[in-house]
Structure formats: C-alpha cells, structure tokens
Amino acid sequence: MAQVYGYPARLTPHEVRTHEFAAHQRGVDPDEVREFQARVADELTMLNETVRLLSRENDRIRRALRDWQIMHAQECRPPQDNSGHR
C-alpha cells in the first residue's frame, strides 16, 4: 500500500479479500477469516461508492454556489459612470 501526500493509500476491497495471513499452530479458523474479509470488503465497496457520490454532489453544489455568487455580484455592482469623470 503506497502513501499519498503523507497519508496511506486507501485499502481496497480486493486487498482485503485477498490478504494472506501467516499460519500459526494455534491460529484462527480460515473460513471465519475469509467470511470476515468478505464482509469488510463489501463494506469498503459501499463506503467507496458513497464517497464517490458525495464528492459528485459536493462538486455540483460548489458550482451552483459559485454561479449564484457571480450572478449576485453582477446584480449588486454600482452602475458604471461612462462620462469619463472619476
């Protein structure tokens, strides 16, 4: 997993599903581990999709706010004096 700008890269559902653990004499049930990995990977998939959708919505709202600010700024501008006097 690589680091990006000082933060570790996001763990992907694929990495969770395929991660291998070292075997020990008194280990855990491999089927339980795989079941848990599948649940975590499914949750990551859902969360990643939610982040993607919220990011798109955030961009849309940001554009709408910028457009409103531009329109409002133009409406509130004092009229220009075209007589050449300052």
Side-chain angles (χ1 to χ4, degrees):
M1 191 165 37
Q3 286 197 343
V4 179
Y5 302 111
Y7 296 101
R10 287 188 180 139
L11 189 61
T12 67
H14 176 74
E15 289 172 318
V16 171
R17 287 182 202 281
T18 60
H19 183 79
E20 296 289 331
F21 296 90
H24 291 287
Q25 277 186 348
R26 294 184 182 176
V28 294
D29 180 356
D31 292 335
E32 285 184 37
V33 170
R34 294 289 176 219
E35 183 181 319
F36 181 75
Q37 284 178 299
R39 287 178 50 210
V40 171
D42 291 344
E43 182 76 11
L44 278 174
T45 299
M46 186 212 46
L47 291 172
N48 287 339
E49 178 65 12
T50 300
V51 167
R52 187 184 70 78
L53 291 172
L54 290 173
S55 180
R56 287 178 56 190
E57 179 70 2
N58 185 37
D59 289 343
R60 185 192 67 75
I61 292 169
R62 193 177 302 213
R63 283 190 307 272
L65 174 60
R66 185 187 61 231
D67 293 345
W68 180 87
Q69 287 171 328
I70 290 169
M71 181 185 67
H72 184 70
Q74 290 170 348
E75 289 175 357
C76 293
R77 250 186 226 142
Q80 293 283 337
D81 181 10
N82 292 332
S83 65
H85 297 91
R86 289 194 176 212

